Amino acid sequence: MSDAEKTPEKDQVCQTPPVSEETKPETTRIVKAGPSVKTYIPKTMDLDEFKKLPLTQQKKLMKHELWVQRADELKEIKKQKKKQVRKRRNQRQAQEAAETGMSRCSLKRQKLETQENSNIGLVLDMAFDDKMDEKEIKSISSQVMRCYSANRQAAKRVNLHMTKLHGKLRERFDTAMPHHVGWSSDHVQMHEKEYLELFDKSDLVYLTADSPNVIESLEPGKLYVIGGIVDKN
């Protein structure tokens, strides 16, 4: 057997060059540690009283206070973002008023007067009042308000209806959102009756994710029903 045909010895086959410290991959991940109970200073009780609590109670109180603090910070951030949005909107409207020589109110009125009706109906079925808790009621109310606002600003509005408005949701509109009484009936209509009592069944299309049918376009003259429910479970 020639030298070229010799098989390398086992230790030569398995041997790999040593990895230097410089070529080792970095595997250490730096994680920012939260405050320690030992050094934490409570906001809602005296420090001496805090130290007398069992360790589990100390941790629980610290976690709650930090959560409240973070929630307040997020609330302030959200507030500032809304403030910036209003500022940009006001600047845009002021620019439009300067370019056209019309006041903001006149511009809004002109947009509403030139707005077209798409002849497409959208029905928010609010019959699920008893299926939502207080937080979800608040969320669906805000979404309805955004729907109304979007419908007013659209170049072509839909015929927006809220049906079976009752219970906790009706109460919220009457107490926390009393300005809804001034909403234009061209952009939303509120009904206590169910949609089947108000509209011809042949004109209704109930939209649901459970249907195998995929809708490709909206047909004028039809009313598309959406379940007015927020379920975050």
Side-chain angles (χ1 to χ4, degrees), residues 61-112:
L61 179 62
M62 181 184 73
K63 184 178 179 180
H64 174 72
E65 289 188 352
L66 291 174
W67 179 86
V68 172
Q69 180 181 343
R70 181 59 178 161
D72 291 340
E73 291 174 356
L74 292 175
K75 187 176 180 180
E76 182 62 25
I77 292 173
K78 188 176 182 180
K79 181 179 177 181
Q80 292 301 322
K81 284 184 178 180
K82 286 185 177 180
K83 190 175 180 179
Q84 291 298 322
V85 169
R86 286 197 300 269
K87 183 179 179 180
R88 289 194 296 269
R89 183 180 65 238
N90 292 338
Q91 289 175 343
R92 184 179 66 254
Q93 291 176 346
Q95 183 178 356
E96 290 177 355
E99 292 173 352
T100 59
M102 301 173 63
S103 66
R104 294 181 185 180
C105 292
S106 298
L107 283 171
K108 287 183 178 180
R109 192 179 303 112
Q110 184 186 59
K111 286 182 179 180
L112 291 177

Side-chain angles (χ1 to χ4, degrees), residues 143-184:
Q143 292 183 46
V144 168
M145 188 163 56
R146 288 196 294 271
C147 288
Y148 172 76
S149 178
N151 203 29
R152 279 178 58 88
Q153 298 173 23
K156 291 185 177 183
R157 69 177 183 270
V158 298
N159 297 319
L160 182 62
H161 298 270
M162 293 175 63
T163 61
K164 196 59 178 179
L165 184 60
H166 71 295
K168 293 179 291 185
L169 189 58
R170 171 88 261 182
E171 182 181 353
R172 176 163 181 80
F173 270 90
D174 291 340
T175 54
M177 302 169 63
H179 57 279
H180 81 275
V181 296
W183 286 2
S184 166

Side-chain angles (χ1 to χ4, degrees), residues 101-138:
M102 301 173 63
S103 66
R104 294 181 185 180
C105 292
S106 298
L107 283 171
K108 287 183 178 180
R109 192 179 303 112
Q110 184 186 59
K111 286 182 179 180
L112 291 177
E113 289 173 354
T114 57
Q115 186 184 55
E116 299 179 20
N117 190 332
S118 66
N119 199 28
I120 294 173
L122 186 61
V123 180
L124 303 180
D125 178 14
M126 314 306 291
F128 305 96
D129 181 271
D130 59 335
K131 303 292 190 300
M132 294 182 285
D133 58 27
E134 199 65 33
K135 187 176 181 180
E136 291 165 342
I137 289 289
K138 185 177 180 180

